């Protein structure tokens, strides 16, 4: 599903953030990438999303070399992926349900179905009552939950989540993890998730990596 | 199809929301644009007012048709009917030999000398005011009238007509140039207004692009915004223009009566009323397209540079 070949990314000459990363993520995997602040987790995920260009190496997503695609083609590809950003980016002039429904709109859905599915997604995360609120009227936890709802609404086959639990309290973090787990277990959902510390409670991860000094190192999976 | 309508409906609602969100800013922008549009529209309207240019021309060329001295009443009547039917003739005055003699007698110094003329030596005369001012049209009219039966001579100051035509051409060109300059200024203002909106929405554009929105989807609300600004300001400009013409005509009517001419302006025609909003909408749409495409290109450039 995702293949990284000798992936390198540097923002300053002679000081690469990522150095020659090779990684292959199969379908239905749940990959956890942990690492300290500023180690390059977001950069790595942005490269997988096609939001950044690597300094060297290749990124393949669904067997397509992202470096060879136009910005528009990469955007089309992203429309089929569930993206959860580190910052809860929402469209400020749209209500919460309209924000959540936006990927469905891009997929050509409309009307009552659109609203119904957005409301269902919000209900699952306990935000049903806030559906009409504007992003400015929401707490950062609610915004983050809305981003999770938006990422899941199209029932994508791949979720790229950049520290999705960091802004959430333990109760909501469990809610999100349970939701991801149920979708993952239902089959067909691949998850690539970053976190500052590898959550030991997450037993579903099929692979764990640590990003340190630009290198990706596999970690042993905890035994339960 | 319904998805398409729904997407357009949302974009349309968003653009209204944008305008409504900052009512004073929108109102100011609309008035600035409307003022910018009123002047070129007025100049274009003036350019099409042939009769107004005729009236404001101080030395209007005219033709003087002299009948032969022995011309019969039938021939004079025939010329009269020809002139009345000719579309190139705006108005004419028929002066009989007696009337001409009376007029001449009123001129100082001529009264006593004319007393001694036993038979009236003056022919029947027509003073003709042509509709067109182009020298070619005047010469054609002169030649046509010369061929009428028992016409002795048709006089026209060709040099004067050419001079006046040159002056009017200069006036038309100047009006056209000014209209073009104002239109250009309007274009820059629309561009700036839409660009400002796009700048304010830079983060929204970025998020939409990240989530996978196509350039067309991102651009759509800005296109509506530009078009709405264009149509509304054009309607406001039409209102201003109509009021301006009404106010002008009120003053011009009195002056026209005093000068025995028609200085009033015709009201706006239906094609003019339709053309202004349509042309402005198209222009604003184009400007919004360029402006939003530019903003999207910038986000894509950030991606290419690896700075997103």
């Amino acid at each position: 599903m995702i293949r990284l070949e000798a992936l390198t990314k540097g923002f300053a000459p002679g000081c690469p953030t990522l150095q020659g990363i090779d990684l292959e993520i199969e379908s239905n995997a749940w990959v956890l990438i942990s690492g300290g602040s500023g180690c390059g987790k977001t950069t790595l995920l942005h490269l997988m999303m096609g939001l950044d260009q690597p300094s060297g190496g290749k990124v393949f997503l669904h067997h397509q070399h992202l470096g060879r695609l136009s910005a528009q083609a990469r955007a089309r590809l992203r429309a089929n992926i569930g993206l959860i950003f580190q910052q809860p980016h929402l469209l400020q002039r749209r209500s919460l349900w309209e924000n959540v429904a936006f990927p469905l709109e891009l997929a050509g859905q409309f009307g009552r179905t659109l609203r119904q599915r957005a409301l269902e997604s919000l209900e699952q995360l306990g935000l049903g009552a806030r559906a009409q609120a504007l992003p400015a009227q929401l707490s950062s936890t609610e915004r983050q939950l809305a981003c999770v709802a938006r990422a899941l609404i199209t029932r994508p086959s791949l979720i790229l989540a950049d520290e999705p639990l960091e802004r959430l309290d333990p109760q909501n973090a469990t809610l999100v993890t349970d939701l991801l787990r149920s979708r993952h277990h239902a089959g067909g959902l691949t998850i690539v998730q970053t976190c500052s510390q590898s959550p030991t409670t997450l037993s579903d991860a099929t692979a764990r990596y640590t990003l340190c000094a630009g290198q990706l190192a596999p970690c042993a999976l905890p035994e339960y | 199809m319904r998805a398409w309508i729904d997407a357009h409906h949302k974009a349309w609602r968003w653009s209204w929301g944008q305008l409504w969100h900052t009512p004073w800013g929108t109102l100011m922008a609309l008035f600035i644009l409307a003022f910018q549009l009123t002047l070129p529209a007025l100049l274009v309207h003036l350019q099409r007012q042939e009769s107004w240019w005729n009236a404001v021309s101080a030395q209007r060329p005219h033709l003087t048709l002299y009948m032969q001295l022995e011309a019969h009443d039938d021939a004079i009547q025939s010329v009269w009917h020809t002139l009345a039917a000719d579309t190139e003739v705006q108005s004419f005055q028929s002066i009989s030999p007696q009337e001409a003699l009376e007029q001449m007698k009123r001129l100082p110094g001529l009264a006593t000398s004319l007393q001694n003329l036993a038979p009236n030596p003056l022919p029947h005369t027509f003073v003709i005011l042509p509709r067109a001012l182009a020298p070619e049209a005047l010469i054609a009219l002169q030649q046509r009238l010369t061929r009428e039966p028992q016409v002795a001579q048709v006089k026209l100051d060709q040099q004067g007509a050419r001079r006046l035509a040159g002056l009017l051409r200069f006036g038309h060109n100047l009006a056209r140039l000014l209209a073009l300059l104002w239109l250009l200024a309007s274009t820059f203002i629309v561009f700036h207004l839409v660009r400002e909106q796009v700048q304010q929405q830079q983060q929204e554009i970025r998020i939409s692009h990240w989530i996978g929105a196509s350039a067309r989807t991102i651009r759509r609300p800005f296109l509506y915004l530009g078009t709405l600004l264009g149509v509304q300001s054009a309607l406001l400009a039409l209102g201003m223009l109509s009021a301006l013409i009404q106010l002008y005509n009120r003053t011009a009517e009195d002056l026209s009566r005093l000068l025995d001419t028609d200085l009033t302006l015709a009201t706006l025609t239906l094609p003019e009323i339709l053309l202004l909003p349509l042309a402005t909408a198209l222009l604003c749409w184009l400007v919004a397209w360029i402006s939003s495409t530019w903003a999207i290109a910038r986000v894509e450039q950030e991606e290419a540079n690896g700075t997103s």
Side-chain angles (χ1 to χ4, degrees):
Chain A
M1 183 157 267
I2 300 175
R3 197 167 82 242
L4 311 179
E5 286 180 6
L7 193 69
T8 305
K9 176 72 183 177
F11 294 101
C15 181
T17 309
L18 304 173
Q19 295 186 64
I21 290 176
D22 291 298
L23 180 70
E24 180 138 16
I25 298 168
E26 300 290 339
S27 285
N28 216 22
W30 189 331
V31 177
L32 265 181
I33 300 168
S34 58
S37 179
C39 71
K41 299 187 297 292
T42 300
T43 305
L44 182 62
L45 229 56
H46 276 199
L47 288 169
M48 289 182 190
M49 292 171 183
L51 290 177
D52 262 351
Q53 293 292 311
S55 312
K58 293 171 186 169
V59 180
F60 291 91
L61 184 61
H62 294 304
H63 306 291
Q64 295 198 66
H65 182 193
L66 293 188
R68 292 216 182 123
L69 297 179
S70 68
Q72 285 304 307
R74 285 199 301 273
R76 273 198 300 274
L77 203 61
R78 276 198 298 274
N80 299 314
I81 302 171
L83 305 174
I84 304 171
F85 299 101
Q86 198 175 21
Q87 301 290 326
H89 294 305
L90 294 172
L91 301 169
Q92 295 303 311
R93 297 279 158 84
R94 283 172 171 252
S95 66
L96 188 58
W97 81 262
E98 285 172 327
N99 261 290
V100 171
F102 190 53
L104 284 180
E105 251 183 81
L106 296 179
Q109 292 205 25
F110 58 88
R112 279 187 193 160
T113 327
L114 193 82
R115 191 185 159 92
Q116 194 56 42
R117 279 186 63 181
L119 289 177
E120 279 169 18
S121 282
L122 287 170
E123 286 290 350
Q124 282 180 325
L125 290 158
L127 288 174
R130 308 285 280 145
Q132 295 295 343
L134 288 170
Q137 297 164 327
L138 301 172
S139 69
S140 77
T141 303
E142 287 172 325
R143 283 204 292 269
Q144 187 65 21
L145 289 173
C147 288
V148 174
R150 184 179 62 192
L152 290 170
I153 196 164
T154 53
R155 300 194 176 105
S157 57
L158 174 65
I159 293 270
L160 297 174
D162 191 7
E163 301 191 13
L165 310 176
E166 301 299 309
R167 287 169 184 268
L168 303 178
D169 53 72
Q171 193 188 341
N172 280 313
T174 309
L175 187 67
V176 169
T177 308
D178 287 346
L179 191 59
L180 289 174
R181 182 181 290 127
S182 68
R183 294 286 178 93
H184 178 67
H185 284 180
L189 179 64
T190 308
I191 302 170
V192 181
Q193 180 183 342
T194 64
C195 47
S196 54
Q197 285 175 337
S198 189
T200 49
T201 51
L202 189 62
S203 56
D204 308 76
T206 53
R208 289 169 186 255
Y209 294 92
T210 305
L211 190 60
C212 187
Q215 300 284 342
L216 204 58
C219 310
L221 288 167
E223 288 179 16
Y224 294 97
Chain B
M1 183 65 182
R2 275 194 66 188
W4 184 85
I5 294 170
D6 198 58
H8 277 270
H9 176 247
K10 279 207 170 72
W12 167 259
R13 231 181 49 193
W14 179 90
S15 16
W16 271 109
Q18 284 300 109
L19 295 176
W20 196 245
H21 189 68
T22 50
W24 289 112
T26 302
L27 209 62
M28 291 302 284
L30 285 178
F31 268 100
I32 291 169
L33 264 175
F35 278 122
Q36 286 285 331
L37 286 170
T38 305
L39 200 69
L42 179 66
L43 288 171
V44 170
H45 182 65
L46 274 184
Q47 222 199 321
R48 297 154 67 105
Q49 305 285 302
E50 200 65 43
S51 62
W52 186 81
W53 287 97
N54 286 351
V56 294
S57 314
Q59 292 179 313
R60 282 205 59 187
H62 62 268
L63 296 102
T64 314
L65 185 150
Y66 299 104
M67 300 298 292
Q68 290 171 2
L69 275 173
E70 62 276 11
H72 302 298
D73 283 351
D74 289 351
I76 294 169
Q77 279 298 312
S78 162
V79 171
W80 195 97
H81 286 300
T82 305
L83 291 174
D86 200 318
T87 51
E88 289 294 309
V89 175
Q90 187 178 311
S91 63
F92 65 91
Q93 192 187 356
S94 171
I95 303 166
S96 67
Q98 289 72 29
E99 284 170 325
L101 192 65
E102 287 306 315
Q103 279 178 20
M104 287 183 82
K105 276 179 183 172
R106 283 198 289 272
L107 294 171
L110 281 176
T112 42
S113 40
L114 287 172
Q115 290 285 338
N116 301 325
L117 290 172
N120 188 345
L122 299 173
H124 194 101
T125 310
F126 289 93
V127 178
I128 304 153
L129 214 56
R131 198 173 294 280
L133 296 177
E136 299 74 28
L138 294 175
I139 293 166
L141 181 63
Q142 180 192 27
Q143 286 169 353
R144 205 162 55 241
L145 293 174
T146 309
R147 286 196 291 274
E148 286 294 311
Q150 299 193 16
V151 169
Q153 192 188 7
V154 181
K155 278 181 73 179
L156 165 72
D157 178 9
Q158 286 190 17
Q159 196 58 38
R162 284 206 172 87
R163 258 199 306 271
L164 183 67
L167 268 171
L168 288 178
R169 214 169 23 247
F170 173 75
H172 276 179
N173 285 342
L174 194 68
R176 216 173 284 164
L177 192 73
L178 281 172
L180 195 73
L181 278 174
W182 280 94
L183 267 179
L184 211 63
S186 310
T187 311
F188 279 110
I189 287 177
V190 178
F191 186 81
H192 176 70
L193 287 172
V194 178
R195 198 183 66 93
E196 221 173 37
Q197 289 288 345
V198 172
Q199 289 280 31
Q200 283 172 17
Q201 305 299 320
Q202 194 76 24
Q203 185 61 8
E204 307 265 311
I205 291 175
R206 193 172 283 124
I207 295 169
S208 305
H209 180 71
W210 286 351
I211 294 168
S214 66
R216 193 187 295 175
T217 307
I218 297 172
R219 232 179 348 237
R220 194 179 292 133
F222 294 108
L223 298 185
Y224 271 115
L225 184 74
T227 312
L228 272 176
L229 269 175
V231 171
Q232 288 180 51
S233 56
L235 291 177
L236 204 58
L238 276 177
M240 284 181 182
L241 197 57
S242 301
L244 212 66
I245 292 172
Q246 289 290 324
L247 281 173
Y248 165 82
N249 279 351
R250 218 173 282 174
T251 327
E253 272 165 15
D254 295 338
L255 194 64
S256 301
R257 264 194 298 276
L258 286 171
L259 299 175
D260 194 25
T261 183
D262 185 16
L263 284 166
T264 56
L265 284 171
T267 49
L268 296 169
T269 60
L270 187 66
E272 281 175 332
I273 290 171
L274 293 176
L275 188 70
L276 189 64
L278 276 177
T280 318
L282 193 70
L283 178 78
C284 293
W285 182 91
L286 194 70
V287 164
W289 189 91
I290 294 169
S291 197
S292 49
T293 303
W294 204 354
I296 296 164
R298 223 163 66 178
V299 175
E300 289 177 355
Q301 191 59 43
E302 282 174 9
E303 255 180 55
N305 295 340
T307 51
S308 59

